[in-house]
Amino acid sequence: MFQIAPYDRFPPLALAPGQRVFILTGAGISAESGIRTFRDASGLWQQYRVEDVASPEGWAQDAGVVWRFYSERRAQASQCAPNPAHVALAKLEEALGDRIFLCTQNVDPLHEQAGSRRVHHMHGELFRSRCERCDAADFVDEATYFSIAAIPRCACGGRLRPHIVWFGEMPLGLDVIANELDRCDLFVTIGSSGAVYPAAGFVRQVRSRKGVRAVYVGPEGPDNAGSFDECRLGKAGEVVPGLFVT
Ligand code: OAD
């Protein structure tokens, strides 16, 4: 039976020996660290047109505007620190080892900064760049570029682009994700509006298997709330540290 209620009405989650948990995080887990979400009031997508800064078409039209946007994001994220929710997930990994799969839609490095070692960044990583043209590997890049003239070029002549998955591009490692969705016993989403696919569809995919439980954590129900067993209402920093029996 579907339940939606303040988080303190629910007992902590427990995994039986050998059981696996898939955790999907969204912008909400980093909100208390000071990183702006996308769709909340005064969120990033109220201030920018998505197609200008997060699409191949926007890049083709004005790469300078795209880099200005991601340079601002780099500058902002470098001022931020992990919050208790990130720290709690890092501790959970210490306790569960490879029985936890942490998949994030976030491009910030706060999970790693909190101590998580295995993080799957399905939408790319803010502090990495790659060539727009050739298949040279992506690399760590903390620089900021505020004009077209400042954008470095690869040895092949292509321009450097952010290692970010834009709208219309394929999320990273969908095969690995599908495999983990197929073998988890518990699925938990933290702080995601459930508006962007394919991530918003993961919960339905796991619920198609018998016996898998799906839990949402955030201050309000997401767009796909009805696909979860439970929505535990509260801020990630308050809820996640006590979410699991350890
Ligand atoms: P959204 O901005 O769409 O949603 C943020 C969610 O976080 C909302 O559901 C809020 O209720 C919730 N939230 C806000 N504060 C919170 C808190 N303190 N604790 C927990 N939850 C909180 O962000 P996402 O769903 O992550 O993609 O967005 C998905 C994708 O859309 C992003 O990865 C990005 C964006 O366009 C790309 O750029 C490709």
Side-chain angles (χ1 to χ4, degrees):
M1 195 186 62
F2 174 66
Q3 284 179 286
I4 180 163
Y7 73 95
D8 52 6
R9 308 262 178 87
F10 296 91
L13 299 167
L15 282 181
Q19 286 194 323
R20 307 179 61 84
V21 58
F22 186 119
I23 298 192
L24 174 68
T25 62
I29 197 171
S30 297
E32 289 157 85
S33 293
I35 295 189
R36 302 241 293 276
T37 60
F38 296 93
R39 291 172 187 75
D40 295 343
S42 86
L44 285 172
W45 295 154
Q46 309 288 330
Q47 336 232 318
Y48 292 89
R49 279 162 35 102
V50 182
E51 50 275 40
D52 288 344
V53 295
S55 76
E57 294 75 22
W59 174 253
Q61 199 174 313
D62 192 341
V65 167
V66 174
W67 261 121
R68 195 179 324 137
F69 175 75
Y70 288 102
S71 294
E72 285 170 6
R73 306 278 74 72
R74 283 183 177 181
Q76 186 201 19
S78 60
Q79 304 294 315
C80 296
N83 67 54
H86 298 103
V87 173
L89 293 183
K91 288 197 180 134
L92 192 64
E93 184 188 74
E94 265 174 36
L96 295 178
D98 66 3
R99 292 196 290 134
I100 178 175
F101 184 74
L102 178 55
C103 178
T104 186
Q105 296 167 88
N106 299 344
V107 297
D108 68 59
L110 297 181
H111 282 304
E112 287 88 347
Q113 286 175 7
S116 287
R117 289 169 189 212
R118 292 177 301 107
V119 185
H120 186 89
H121 284 273
M122 65 178 289
H123 287 167
E125 292 179 67
L126 186 57
F127 291 102
R128 299 187 79 84
S129 299
R130 68 171 192 263
C131 177
E132 65 177 346
R133 190 192 294 168
C134 75
D135 56 8
D138 55 274
F139 60 93
V140 173
D141 183 14
E142 296 180 353
T144 51
Y145 312 107
F146 283 95
S147 69
I148 282 210
I151 303 173
R153 289 197 179 261
C154 171
C156 79
R159 293 170 303 183
L160 213 59
R161 60 162 279 179
H163 184 50
I164 301 278
V165 175
W166 289 326
F167 286 90
E169 297 183 323
M170 191 70 93
L172 305 174
L174 285 179
D175 49 345
V176 178
I177 292 173
N179 185 41
E180 295 292 340
L181 288 171
D182 274 351
R183 62 187 190 143
C184 71
D185 303 283
L186 173 63
F187 175 85
V188 179
T189 296
I190 303 165
S192 179
S193 58
V196 175
Y197 286 79
F202 292 171
V203 61
R204 293 194 68 165
Q205 194 173 324
V206 294
R207 292 295 304 283
S208 66
R209 284 190 293 121
K210 274 215 168 68
V212 186
R213 184 170 170 198
V215 173
Y216 180 81
V217 172
E220 65 212 351
D223 290 2
N224 56 354
S227 299
F228 289 86
D229 295 290
E230 296 166 13
C231 291
R232 300 183 174 212
L233 303 180
K235 291 182 174 181
E238 289 166 4
V239 184
V240 183
L243 186 59
F244 286 86
V245 176
T246 43

